[in-house]
């Protein structure tokens, strides 16, 4: 007898718990002869990481199987000091034994104490609910960092020469050393005050750029750890390191703001050698090093870099170089207490672009178009005489006349200057700056430009790609492209607001509104984990959270609603996406301090004090004669985010078992919402600010009682209709508007907003040729003139938060809070907008989760893949449940799924892992307008 059941909730005697046990029985009841295999391995959320400084690192793995309804029932992990011992199962530092558990995420190490700066190898095998066991996974590894500041032997060193305090050319530091035995392993630990590039025996150390990255340096300074075994050799060796101003002492923000963390650049370098006979040696930064300057004569993040090839020190990173005229270094007294290992992925080089067009502008300037607004720099191959100077300027757009436009860069010069040595073909590229650009203007080359001599190189944090989305609409696909490139250009060690002008700061509001979208496109777990620790480190003593992190604007630049709420929103979003409760445990004091600060400055539970950015850069028409586009009351917005942060704090307290906090903040939340009702809602249910943002936030954060929500949604739609189906929200309303519309039955309106092509809309910039997300809805106006250049970035990811709706609602890949990290996924696509197909896939910590839907007339086809060790609640859009087929068979013929019955316009089904193709009859309903 088949196990499939159709359940009508109106008459069913099944309780939710009974349904769940039934589903479990069905999932575990299926027996298919298919082997399970381990497909991916992570340690502390990274693949084969170096510099792990936690005593109990956590292991995560994903499994694959060609069977269905496959669940892990047990696992076994083993860890060894060598790959040979691991493969043989001998001399293990930890063997977990067989552990009966479905857990495959963040499983803590439980073996002998790990040693500092050691490489460990590990693998895992699993058993499933169908009687199968996997083979041992392919070996992976991790390398420990330093567990104590006492393990640092290196000394801080600084240049010993008298510095040019105007141009501040980049220091060079070097040391020769000798190794007298065969080398088994060599590990370098490096950090700097400023930025560094390191070389051993003439070869560059690592693939990272702009290292050691940007943190709140005085409290948290990252060091990087590198395997340099292939770079060192028995006999003579040399180390060379070049430093740059970077964020440490360079010009940051505005108002002549420099030397924020210190005035002098410095280096900390520790090379640890293990010889083949087991003995060890250490080479450190100390007073035996020498210093001078070289070819990088000037380097600032905003202004660019000057390289004089005539002053290059040829061979300075190689052994035997004569540095007799170099200056001895000075020893700095800084200590090691603020040093931490690198937690996020380093900035690396990625895709390159060649010019697609050579332009002579109406002004006669020589310009190259790379076809994509990108972040990085240009590698130039140049020829000329000694002393010839070539200048490369950077811009995102051309003006309406076709001329090179840099006014929106404000005070950022964005100019790289190359002085030739006259030795033939010479290649130049920057070291300690970056630019946001699509176009470059070149000066100093006689005759036409040769496009083959210029290559644009992209730079961004090397976060793994996880999500893919596409649809039948080419403009929406370009929008997705723009969202992705907005992330690439602005996730450069910190989540910057823009990559081109004199700003490039870690604005908290921008980051929080985009964080859920980002977690689909890339694995941003480690990226945000690192940055959120800086949010907490820079948080003011009274609990205020800064506008930008790291905070370079001062203590008073803090406490704005929607910006400071980054303290609660991103940790919760990361928990939902990755199932890592450690970020909640770590950030909980910061989350609580922020909510307590709001409480302390509120009056009768109403937060109506302080400075707030409000719904930043909202649409406000020039012909607003009737007041319908009135600015959303900033204190109304603040009250909504007060409630939201309090709710997230309650959620976290429940998860962490903090019962007293749950009770206290639950009562507070009730009072916050009562205060909102008293202050901002009329007796008839109308908000005092009748804007799209006001209704969106009130509905999204459940500020209104159930009885008033439906009419509030109607008022929201009426407002949208009054603008001829255009969006008017700013940074805080935009991320939620389409989700709110879908939640209250107006997916058709959400699609109309998504597909709107005239200003203001998401597709207006696409139609205007954008290749990234703009800061303003109309950065370039319909007449091709520009918005106010004081605030007009063409690479600014905040409005790209629409991606979250596209992935979670349009295609329908979502997760439940009872099974975060997509352990329990929700697949519920909302069809509309005349799309004929849409698809998305996401590489979760369990494996690939995907859905693709196609419409042909009234026939819907849905192809779903659910990873091993997970389950999904799938909602099939259908007007006729009896028409639904799965893998070509009627539902009644399938014993591997549980049909719960109709849920609105959907048929609700519980599924285990596997691949499924559903077909059904579906007519997109005509929604109320």
């Amino acid at each position: 007898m088949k196990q499939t059941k159709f359940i009508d909730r109106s008459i069913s005697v099944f309780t939710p718990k009974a349904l769940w046990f039934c589903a479990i029985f069905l999932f575990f009841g299926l027996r298919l002869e298919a082997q399970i295999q381990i497909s991916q391995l992570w340690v502390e959320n990274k693949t084969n990481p170096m510099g792990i400084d936690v005593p109990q690192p956590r292991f995560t793995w994903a499994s694959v199987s060609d069977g269905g309804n496959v669940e892990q029932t047990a696992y076994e992990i083993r860890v060894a000091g060598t790959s040979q011992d691991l493969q043989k199962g001998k001399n293990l530092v930890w063997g977990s034994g067989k552990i009966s558990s479905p857990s495959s995420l963040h499983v803590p190490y439980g073996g002998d104490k790990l040693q500092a700066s050691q490489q460990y190898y590990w693998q895992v095998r699993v058993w499933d609910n169908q009687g199968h066991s996997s083979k041992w996974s392919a070996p992976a590894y991790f390398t420990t960092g330093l567990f104590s500041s006492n393990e640092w032997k290196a000394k801080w060193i600084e240049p010993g020469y008298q510095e040019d305090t105007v141009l501040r050319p980049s220091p060079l530091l070097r040391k020769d050393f000798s190794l007298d035995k065969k080398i088994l392993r060599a590990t370098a630990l490096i950090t700097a005050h400023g930025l560094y590039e390191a070389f051993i025996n003439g070869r560059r150390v690592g693939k990272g750029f702009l290292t050691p990255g940007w943190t709140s340096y005085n409290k948290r300074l990252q060091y990087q750890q590198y395997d340099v075994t292939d770079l060192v050799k028995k006999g003579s060796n040399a180390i060379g390191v070049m430093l740059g101003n970077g964020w440490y002492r360079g010009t940051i923000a505005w108002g002549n703001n420099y030397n924020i963390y210190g005035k002098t650049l410095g280096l900390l370098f520790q090379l640890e050698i293990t010889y083949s006979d087991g003995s060890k040696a250490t080479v450190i930064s100390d007073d035996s090093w020498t210093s001078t300057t070289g070819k990088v004569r000037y380097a600032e993040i905003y202004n660019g870099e000057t390289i004089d090839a005539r002053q290059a020190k040829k061979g300075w990173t190689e052994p035997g170089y004569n540095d007799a005229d170099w200056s001895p270094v000075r020893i700095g007294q800084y200590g090691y207490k603020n040093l931490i290992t690198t937690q996020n992925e380093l900035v690396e080089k990625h895709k390159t672009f060649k010019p697609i067009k050579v332009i002579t502008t109406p002004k006669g300037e020589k310009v190259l178009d790379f076809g994509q607004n990108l972040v990085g720099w240009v590698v130039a191959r140049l020829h000329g005489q000694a002393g010839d100077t070539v200048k490369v300027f950077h811009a995102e757009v051309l003006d309406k006349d076709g001329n090179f436009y840099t006014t929106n860069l404000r005070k950022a010069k964005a100019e790289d200057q190359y002085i030739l040595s006259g030795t033939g073909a010479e290649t130049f590229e920057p070291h300690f700056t970056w630019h946001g650009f699509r176009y470059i203007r070149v000066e100093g080359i006689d005759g036409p430009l040769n496009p083959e001599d210029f290559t644009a190189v992209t730079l961004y944090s090397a976060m793994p790609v996880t999500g893919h989305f596409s649809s039948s609409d080419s403009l929406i696909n370009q929008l997705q492209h723009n969202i992705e490139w907005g992330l690439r250009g602005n996730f450069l060690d910190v989540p910057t607001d823009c990559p081109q002008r004199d700003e490039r700061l870690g604005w908290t509001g921008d980051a929080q509104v985009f964080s859920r979208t980002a977690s689909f496109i890339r694995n941003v777990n480690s990226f945000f984990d690192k940055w959120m620790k800086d949010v907490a480190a820079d948080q003011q003593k009274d609990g205020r959270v800064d506008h930008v992190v790291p905070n370079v604007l001062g203590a008073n630049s803090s406490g704005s609603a929607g910006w400071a709420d980054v303290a609660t929103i991103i940790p919760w979003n990361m928990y939902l996406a990755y199932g890592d409760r450690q970020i909640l445990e770590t950030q909980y004091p910061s989350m609580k301090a922020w909510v307590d600060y709001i409480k302390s400055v509120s009056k009768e539970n109403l937060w109506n004090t302080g400075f707030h950015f409000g719904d930043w850069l909202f649409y406000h028409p020039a012909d607003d004669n009737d007041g319908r586009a009135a600015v959303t009351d900033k204190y109304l917005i603040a009250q909504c985010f007060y409630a939201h942060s309090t709710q997230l704090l309650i959620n976290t307290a429940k998860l962490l078992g903090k019962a007293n906090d749950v009770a206290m903040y639950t009562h507070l939340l009730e009072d916050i919402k009562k205060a909102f009702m008293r202050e901002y809602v009329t007796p008839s249910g109308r908000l005092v600010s009748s804007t799209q943002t006001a209704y969106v936030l009130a509905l999204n954060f459940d500020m209104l009682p159930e009885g008033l929500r439906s009419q509030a949604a109607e008022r929201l739609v009426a407002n949208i209709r009054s603008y001829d189906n255009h969006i008017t929200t700013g940074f805080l309303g935009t991320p939620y508007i389409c989700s709110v519309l879908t939640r209250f039955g107006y997916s058709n309106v959400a699609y109309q907003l998504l597909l709107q092509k005239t200003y203001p809309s998401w597709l207006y910039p696409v139609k205007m040729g954008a290749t990234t997300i703009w800061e303003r809805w109309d950065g370039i106006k319909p007449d091709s003139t520009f918005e106010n250049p004081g605030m007009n970035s063409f690479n600014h990811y905040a409005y790209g938060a629409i991606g979250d709706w596209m992935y979670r609602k349009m295609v329908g890949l979502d997760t439940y809070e009872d099974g975060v990290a997509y352990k329990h996924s929700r697949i519920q696509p909302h069809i509309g907008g005349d799309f004929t197909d849409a698809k998305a896939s996401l590489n979760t910590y369990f494996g690939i989760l995907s859905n693709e839907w196609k419409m042909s007339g009234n026939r819907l086809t849905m192809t779903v893949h659910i990873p091993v060790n997970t389950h999904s609640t799938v909602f099939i859009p259908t007007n006729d449940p009896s028409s639904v087929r799965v893998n070509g068979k009627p539902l009644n013929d399938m014993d591997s799924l549980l049909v719960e019955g109709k849920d609105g316009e959907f048929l609700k089904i519980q599924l285990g892992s596997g691949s499924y193709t559903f077909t059904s009859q579906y007519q997109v309903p005509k929604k109320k307008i």
Side-chain angles (χ1 to χ4, degrees), residues 202-230:
R203 298 165 63 188
R204 195 177 192 278
V205 176
K207 298 189 295 183
F209 289 84
L210 307 176
T211 46
W214 193 13
T215 50
S216 180
Y217 290 134
N218 296 336
K219 304 159 190 170
R220 290 165 34 84
L221 174 59
Q222 294 190 137
Y223 67 87
Q224 283 73 49
Q225 186 169 344
Y226 305 94
D227 183 347
V228 294
T229 306
D230 292 340

Side-chain angles (χ1 to χ4, degrees), residues 321-519:
Y321 176 82
N322 183 2
D323 60 3
D325 60 344
W326 290 33
S327 301
V329 297
R330 295 192 304 265
I331 300 299
Q333 303 298 325
Y334 298 103
Y336 314 105
K337 290 185 178 180
N338 64 330
L339 297 182
I340 57 172
T341 189
T342 299
Q343 296 172 294
N344 60 327
E345 295 82 5
L346 298 182
V347 173
E348 295 182 7
K349 290 181 176 180
H350 297 279
K351 186 175 181 178
T352 61
F353 291 83
K354 299 299 291 186
I356 64 170
K357 187 184 296 185
V358 180
I359 301 169
T360 300
T361 70
K363 290 183 178 180
E365 297 167 330
K366 299 174 183 178
V367 172
L368 295 176
D369 176 6
F370 289 97
Q372 171 65 50
N373 194 8
L374 58 94
V375 172
W377 56 54
V378 170
V379 178
R381 185 178 60 191
L382 304 175
H383 304 75
Q385 303 298 314
D388 286 353
T389 300
V390 176
K391 296 181 180 180
V392 179
F393 302 85
H394 303 77
E396 296 183 287
V397 293
L398 304 179
D399 68 17
K400 66 180 300 183
D401 297 320
N403 287 310
F404 198 71
Y405 180 78
T406 58
T407 308
N408 70 315
L409 304 187
R410 303 191 306 212
K411 292 184 179 180
K413 294 181 180 179
E415 171 192 345
D416 294 328
Q417 185 173 187
Y418 303 134
I419 304 170
L420 279 62
S421 66
T423 55
E426 302 179 60
T427 299
F428 293 84
E429 67 176 312
H431 302 267
F432 302 124
T433 189
W434 77 87
H435 308 287
F437 65 99
R438 172 174 172 169
Y439 303 90
I440 61 170
R441 176 167 60 88
V442 182
E443 292 182 358
I445 293 179
D446 295 331
L449 298 180
N450 179 4
E452 291 304 311
D453 288 340
F454 299 88
T455 303
V457 179
T458 57
L459 291 173
Y460 51 87
S461 294
M463 306 157 292
V465 176
T466 50
H468 300 275
F469 167 90
S470 64
S471 74
S472 57
D473 190 303
S474 61
L475 292 178
I476 295 300
N477 293 341
Q478 181 64 42
L479 174 63
Q480 171 64 16
H481 170 97
N482 295 0
I483 294 170
E484 292 178 3
W485 278 91
L487 182 153
R488 296 183 198 194
N490 286 290
F491 277 51
L492 195 132
D493 203 67
V494 302
T496 61
D497 61 319
C498 60
Q500 72 295 98
R501 67 188 181 214
D502 57 341
E503 197 162 348
R504 313 185 200 188
L505 306 176
W507 282 94
T508 50
D510 305 51
Q512 70 87 359
V513 301
F514 190 70
S515 59
R516 193 72 188 264
T517 300
S519 71

Side-chain angles (χ1 to χ4, degrees), residues 61 71-75 98-104 107 126-127 869:
W61 59 90
E71 297 275 347
Q72 175 188 300
T73 58
Y75 67 83
K98 184 177 181 180
I99 305 295
S100 295
S101 170
S103 179
S104 62
V107 177
V126 299
W127 288 259
N869 206 27

Side-chain angles (χ1 to χ4, degrees), residues 6 859-860 862 874-894 897 899 902 905-909 917-922:
F6 290 86
R859 181 180 175 84
L860 170 67
M862 264 179 66
V874 180
F875 295 79
I876 310 297
T878 182
N879 307 114
D880 180 8
S882 66
S883 70
V884 177
R885 299 288 185 273
V886 56
N887 298 337
K889 298 179 181 180
L891 291 178
N892 280 329
D893 291 343
M894 299 297 294
L897 50 81
V899 180
K902 285 284 286 181
E905 64 188 65
F906 300 92
L907 184 65
K908 187 176 180 181
I909 300 174
T917 298
F918 296 93
T919 58
S920 67
Q921 293 298 312
Y922 180 64

Side-chain angles (χ1 to χ4, degrees), residues 1 36 69 113 135 176 207 318 332 351 359 366 402 420 434 440 464 626 685 773 850-851 855:
M1 180 177 178
I36 188 170
N69 297 320
K113 182 179 179 181
K135 296 179 180 179
D176 284 312
K207 298 189 295 183
E318 298 175 359
K351 186 175 181 178
I359 301 169
K366 299 174 183 178
L420 279 62
W434 77 87
I440 61 170
D626 58 7
I773 299 296
S850 65
N851 182 37
M855 289 293 300

Side-chain angles (χ1 to χ4, degrees), residues 37-49 58-64 72 75-78 86 104-107 120-126 134-142 464 523 843-847:
Q37 300 177 38
I38 306 299
S39 60
Q40 299 178 84
L41 298 171
W42 298 270
V43 178
E44 288 298 315
N45 307 314
K46 291 184 281 189
T47 301
N48 297 334
R58 297 165 303 151
F59 302 100
T60 298
W61 59 90
S63 304
V64 293
Q72 175 188 300
Y75 67 83
E76 182 177 7
I77 300 173
R78 62 186 186 187
L86 183 74
S104 62
L105 266 63
H106 317 304
V107 177
Y120 293 93
Y121 297 83
W122 75 285
Q123 57 188 172
V124 63
R125 62 178 174 178
V126 299
S134 73
K135 296 179 180 179
W136 284 105
S137 67
Y141 64 84
F142 63 96
N523 186 326
N843 188 13
T844 74
Y845 280 148
F846 295 99

Side-chain angles (χ1 to χ4, degrees), residues 704-894:
L704 303 172
E706 289 280 358
L708 294 180
R709 294 177 187 175
S710 177
Q711 62 171 285
E714 291 175 2
R715 287 190 170 101
L716 170 61
V717 172
N719 184 292
I720 294 169
R721 297 301 191 209
S722 75
Y723 283 101
D724 195 22
N725 299 321
H726 286 80
I727 192 169
T728 64
T729 52
F731 276 27
L732 297 184
T734 298
Y736 308 111
I737 187 167
C738 284
S739 293
V740 165
L741 290 167
T742 294
R743 174 184 170 185
F744 289 95
Y746 294 100
S747 283
N748 62 320
V749 182
Y751 270 107
Q752 288 169 339
L753 289 180
L754 176 69
L755 293 171
Q756 182 61 254
K757 297 179 179 64
T758 55
Y759 162 74
S761 69
W762 285 285
L763 292 185
Y764 169 75
V766 173
K767 294 284 287 185
M768 295 294 287
T771 60
T772 45
I773 299 296
W774 293 354
E775 181 176 21
R776 293 178 176 268
W777 291 119
D778 63 339
I780 302 176
K781 298 181 179 182
D783 64 358
S784 295
T785 60
F786 296 115
E787 258 285 6
N788 184 337
M791 195 72 65
N792 198 22
S793 161
F794 295 99
N795 192 350
H796 210 100
Y797 57 75
Y799 287 142
I802 183 58
D804 185 50
W805 181 84
M806 291 157 56
Y807 319 141
R808 290 206 288 149
K809 302 302 180 183
M810 181 179 176
V811 178
L813 295 185
D814 206 350
T815 189
Y816 284 99
E817 291 184 13
D818 69 351
V820 293
Y822 303 88
K823 173 75 171 178
H824 179 194
S825 59
R826 178 188 185 105
I827 301 179
Q828 186 176 12
H830 292 79
I831 317 297
D834 294 327
F835 283 82
T836 57
D837 65 76
K839 61 181 177 181
S841 65
L842 178 63
N843 188 13
T844 74
Y845 280 148
F846 295 99
I848 301 296
L849 173 71
S850 65
N851 182 37
E852 177 180 8
W853 57 259
K854 295 181 178 180
M855 289 293 300
S856 180
N858 292 340
R859 181 180 175 84
L860 170 67
T861 302
M862 264 179 66
T863 303
V864 172
H865 181 78
I866 303 166
V868 166
N869 206 27
T870 74
H871 59 98
S872 183
T873 303
V874 180
F875 295 79
I876 310 297
T878 182
N879 307 114
D880 180 8
S882 66
S883 70
V884 177
R885 299 288 185 273
V886 56
N887 298 337
K889 298 179 181 180
L891 291 178
N892 280 329
D893 291 343
M894 299 297 294

